[in-house]
Amino acid sequence: MHEAKDHARETMRGIWAAALQPFDEDLAFDEAGLRANIRHWVDDLGIRGLFVAGKQGEFWAMSLDERKRAMSVAADECAGTAGTIMSISDQNVDTVLELGRHAQECGADYVVVHAPMLSFVHDRGPVLYEYYKHLCDRLDIGIAMWSHPDSGYIMQPEECARIADLPNIVAIKYSVPREMYVKLTRMVGDKILVSTSSEPEWLDNIEELGWQLYLCSSPPYQIQTAKDRRMHEYTELAFAGRFDEARRVRDSLDPVRDAFAASRPAAKPTAHGKYWQELLGQVGGRVRHPMLDLTEDEKAATRAAFEGCGLRL
């Protein structure tokens, strides 16, 4: 896997989106809905890669077989048209490895593993290094780190930098304050791809940090339509060095961002995202426990915000 870093730099580029997982009215896995969404995201929106079975996908609410099925469906639909990075995160390391081996077998391009919860641990660096090394030694696929506050802590740049030396660590989704991911980029940006999920910061990170990868969240398919691909447009302008034009396009999306954020109930982010998808003509569906569905009043408020946001349908 020593060539993994070079391969990732060649193939992990542009906008990669995190897939929400559709469940039907009976809360069953909606495979047809997932396939339809993927075709729209890749064919109509030009999304370059998909992050599958992660937090956006309610992985904690799915069985092991369902998580594997989501990976297989995504790998099948994306084959030859878009990249895939499968979330194999779990607190049980044997489950992580089982999912990782399935990702390899079904044709995934990469996997991503979030930092584990570490109860009672005060010196995290050695624990985290050995954790990712354990995975790297047993999986034959490029691996991305993933640090976010839900783990109960965030990995420090120095901890990430040591792990970045492992041969099949290719990237990190670093959901941290900007000063932390700037520091890490300057430390290891020549070794791995550093990214974060904040869409409003994406353009600045291309210009100021030389980033090539948006990895990733749901805005790529929530603030775009087949007739209104402004995120794609400003990304391509930025990659071409036309930053003033890119900023004008990016800033024109502020009404969409504001409408989405203002209509989202604080306790129901996933249900709100899925309903917004439905307003866009995608397959949203219900959420599983412990997440909560929207009320009719919340749907009406979201619908009113959507209708006034200015997206071209």
Side-chain angles (χ1 to χ4, degrees):
M1 290 302 297
H2 289 276
E3 73 281 3
K5 296 180 193 294
D6 290 339
H7 181 69
R9 198 163 294 277
E10 293 172 5
T11 60
M12 298 184 83
R13 182 175 177 83
I15 297 169
W16 289 46
L20 287 158
Q21 171 60 48
F23 301 116
D24 66 20
E25 281 301 307
D26 296 322
L27 295 178
F29 183 112
D30 187 348
E31 178 175 324
L34 179 58
R35 288 185 182 274
N37 283 346
I38 291 173
R39 289 272 51 86
H40 169 63
W41 298 339
V42 175
D43 298 342
D44 300 331
L45 303 184
I47 292 172
R48 299 284 295 273
L50 295 180
F51 186 120
V52 178
K55 289 199 300 177
Q56 296 281 0
E58 299 173 75
F59 79 87
W60 61 82
M62 289 198 288
S63 69
L64 195 57
D65 286 343
E66 287 176 324
R67 294 176 70 182
K68 291 179 180 179
R69 187 60 191 155
M71 294 179 191
S72 296
V73 167
D76 179 53
E77 286 292 336
C78 290
T81 61
T84 54
I85 182 165
M86 309 302 189
S87 173
I88 60 172
S89 301
D90 198 89
Q91 192 63 13
N92 182 286
V93 73
D94 291 333
T95 299
V96 175
L97 289 169
E98 181 177 347
L99 290 168
R101 293 182 184 113
H102 178 78
Q104 293 172 187
E105 292 165 3
C106 75
D109 295 292
Y110 303 98
V111 296
V112 59
V113 186
H114 71 57
M117 293 183 291
L118 296 177
S119 301
F120 312 115
V121 175
H122 299 289
D123 184 8
R124 293 187 299 267
V127 180
L128 291 169
Y129 180 82
E130 290 301 326
Y131 177 73
Y132 280 100
K133 185 177 185 302
H134 183 83
L135 301 177
C136 287
D137 288 345
R138 288 160 178 80
L139 294 175
D140 188 27
I141 192 169
I143 300 173
M145 296 178 278
W146 182 11
S147 181
H148 53 74
D150 293 359
S151 296
Y153 61 93
I154 50 180
M155 295 168 65
Q156 295 303 301
E158 295 78 8
E159 295 167 341
C160 299
R162 185 182 179 210
I163 296 167
D165 284 332
L166 294 168
N168 44 337
I169 296 293
V170 300
I172 182 170
K173 181 178 179 183
Y174 206 26
S175 303
V176 297
R178 192 168 194 271
E179 61 270 17
M180 292 184 69
Y181 68 67
V182 168
K183 181 177 182 180
L184 182 62
T185 301
R186 291 172 177 160
M187 293 173 70
V188 298
D190 60 334
K191 296 178 182 177
I192 65 170
L193 298 171
V194 181
S195 186
T196 196
S197 59
S198 174
E199 180 271 327
E201 298 174 42
W202 167 227
L203 172 55
D204 295 333
N205 293 332
I206 298 172
E207 182 175 14
E208 298 170 18
L209 301 176
W211 281 13
Q212 67 176 62
L213 175 67
Y214 178 78
L215 181 73
C216 47
S217 58
S218 51
Y221 56 82
Q222 291 175 330
I223 65 172
Q224 297 194 104
T225 71
K227 296 180 180 179
D228 192 347
R229 304 202 306 173
R230 279 177 278 172
M231 185 178 178
H232 176 85
E233 182 181 348
Y234 83 68
T235 297
E236 293 305 309
L237 287 167
F239 283 162
R242 297 160 62 182
F243 295 110
D244 289 341
E245 295 173 73
R247 273 189 288 275
R248 285 194 290 273
V249 177
R250 178 196 62 185
D251 294 348
S252 74
L253 281 166
D254 282 345
V256 184
R257 298 183 186 98
D258 293 344
F260 186 87
S263 62
R264 180 177 57 203
K268 302 178 180 180
T270 308
H272 176 264
K274 288 186 174 185
Y275 185 62
W276 191 275
Q277 280 185 275
E278 292 176 5
L279 297 173
L280 286 164
Q282 300 172 33
V283 181
R286 297 186 60 195
V287 295
R288 287 179 175 175
H289 287 298
M291 309 307 283
L292 300 173
D293 285 312
L294 297 184
T295 65
E296 290 305 313
D297 286 346
E298 289 165 340
K299 288 182 178 180
T302 301
R303 192 162 56 248
F306 175 84
E307 291 170 353
C309 75
L311 269 177
R312 299 187 299 274
L313 299 177

